[in-house]
Amino acid sequence: MQYNEFGNTGLKVSRIGYGCAPLGGVYGDFGESACISAIHEAINKGINYFDTAPYYGATKSESVLGNALKNIPRSSYILATKVGRYGLDNFDFTEERVTKSVTESLARLQVDFIDIIQVHDIEFGDISQILTETLPALRKLKEKGIVKYIGVTGLPIACLSRVVLESNDGEIDMILSYCHYNLLDTTLQSIIPMLKKKNIALVNASPLSMGLLSIGGPQPWHPAPQDIKDKCKEAAIKCEDRGASLADVALKFALRNKDIATTLVGMGTVDEVTRNISSCLHADDYDPVLLSDIKDLLKPVADKTWPSG
């Protein structure tokens, strides 16, 4: 497994990270036992970055992850969770709530500290409040050693960019962007120079665009417009016809970007872990003609997104 520098934190993170939304049943019920086995397999194969949130499965993801990691040496993994979002329409970015949220997450995760605490889906909050109340609240926890590093997450690139530019130097250690660096959408590249200049670590989540770039397709709740879904289905069939997997092509594409510290992939079974790690280890082994054909097919919907916030 390759490990990358994580901004100016001193952390070394695995090239592929474990997205824990599936532990909360977001993509179907895998069962806790299967999820725990998957996490243990991931650790055994070198994955050391685990990203969860209270929102995933109404705290279930954190609880399952805590049960999986409780007998694993704390120094062997990096734990990232979030504050601010607790339900589909339940957001609270106040100092009181985010401070309490961290305490609750510590209990569910069965740890004494959290490596990376992130403000979840900032586009649903008041950016001014996040800058003047939420981030300072997390900084107080950082000063106490309860959390080690601070980040923000969201879908709109403009929101992430604004918070980075308007926050104090050194206040934000990382950002998590999702669905903006993959075969469909590469708009994340527009802010990479700024992040590199500020030495802020970049986490790319949803390299399969929350299931769009897979033969199984997205869940019914996926917010993408129908034209995007239709084109992705065409791409998946084309890959199958050529003896390939769209998910493998897409994941390898995302993993080849060397400016991204870790690419988060949601996993719920040992088989998924095995497949994704294989893609990671062989990311430079791909068919350039097939890749070009898939990009051409997706060009009519390239860089299209959907509303959030």
Side-chain angles (χ1 to χ4, degrees):
M1 179 62 68
Q2 176 185 322
Y3 297 89
N4 297 323
E5 300 285 348
F6 198 69
N8 62 0
T9 67
L11 297 174
K12 291 267 196 164
V13 300
S14 49
R15 186 181 189 184
I16 186 171
Y18 200 115
C20 294
L23 309 187
V26 176
Y27 295 95
D29 186 7
F30 294 100
E32 182 165 342
S33 177
C35 289
I36 289 175
S37 294
I39 292 164
H40 291 169
E41 179 68 8
I43 292 172
N44 290 337
K45 293 294 175 60
I47 291 178
N48 72 347
Y49 193 96
F50 294 84
D51 177 271
T52 184
Y55 174 51
Y56 302 153
T59 74
K60 181 180 177 182
S61 174
E62 284 190 328
S63 296
V64 173
L65 183 59
N67 289 336
L69 296 176
K70 63 184 177 183
N71 294 318
I72 306 295
R74 183 65 182 87
S75 60
S76 65
Y77 60 87
I78 296 164
L79 196 55
T81 191
K82 307 179 185 77
V83 298
R85 184 167 197 174
Y86 307 101
L88 186 62
D89 298 305
N90 183 2
F91 299 89
D92 191 335
F93 297 98
T94 62
E95 177 176 4
E96 180 181 7
R97 183 65 186 101
V98 301
T99 302
K100 182 181 178 184
S101 183
V102 170
T103 300
E104 293 167 349
S105 290
L106 288 169
R108 286 190 290 266
L109 292 164
Q110 304 178 53
V111 294
D112 296 324
F113 68 91
I114 293 165
D115 296 287
I116 301 159
I117 194 70
Q118 302 158 98
V119 186
H120 198 177
D121 289 345
I122 57 173
E123 66 268 27
F124 289 94
D126 179 335
I127 298 299
S128 295
Q129 181 190 30
I130 289 168
L131 288 165
T132 61
E133 183 177 358
T134 314
L135 290 173
L138 297 179
R139 193 164 62 244
K140 291 178 184 177
L141 298 178
K142 182 177 180 179
E143 290 167 356
K144 294 177 181 178
I146 297 171
V147 302
K148 302 299 183 183
Y149 305 103
I150 297 170
V152 294
T153 84
L155 181 68
I157 297 294
C159 285
L160 295 172
S161 181
R162 178 185 168 188
V163 169
V164 168
L165 289 172
E166 296 186 18
S167 62
N168 298 320
D169 286 344
E171 189 169 28
I172 293 176
D173 300 296
M174 58 80 67
I175 71 160
L176 184 158
S177 168
Y178 71 98
C179 293
H180 283 309
Y181 191 79
N182 54 60
L183 286 176
L184 271 174
D185 186 329
T186 58
T187 53
L188 179 59
Q189 292 183 116
S190 65
I191 64 169
I192 285 178
M194 173 187 68
L195 299 177
K196 291 175 72 173
K197 183 177 180 180
K198 291 179 173 289
N199 209 11
I200 292 174
L202 174 58
V203 174
N204 178 39
S206 300
L208 307 187
S209 202
M210 299 191 298
L212 281 171
L213 297 168
S214 68
I215 190 63
Q219 294 289 310
W221 49 258
H222 200 292
Q226 192 61 45
D227 60 339
I228 294 179
K229 293 178 180 179
D230 291 343
K231 279 295 179 183
C232 288
K233 185 175 181 179
E234 285 184 49
I237 293 171
K238 179 179 282 290
C239 284
E240 295 291 316
D241 289 345
R242 302 267 283 269
S245 158
L246 179 59
D248 179 67
V249 174
L251 180 53
K252 285 179 175 179
F253 170 81
L255 286 164
R256 287 194 294 274
N257 189 319
K258 299 188 185 306
D259 290 320
I260 293 167
T262 188
T263 296
L264 290 183
V265 185
M267 296 177 266
T269 67
V270 169
D271 285 346
E272 288 181 342
V273 172
T274 300
R275 286 199 304 271
N276 290 328
I277 288 180
S278 177
S279 296
C280 180
L281 296 178
H282 302 95
D284 294 323
D285 179 14
Y286 66 99
D287 180 347
V289 175
L290 175 59
L291 178 62
S292 178
D293 288 347
I294 295 301
K295 284 184 174 181
D296 285 344
L297 191 157
L298 295 174
K299 194 170 291 183
V301 293
D303 293 341
K304 287 183 67 174
T305 188
W306 45 86
S308 181

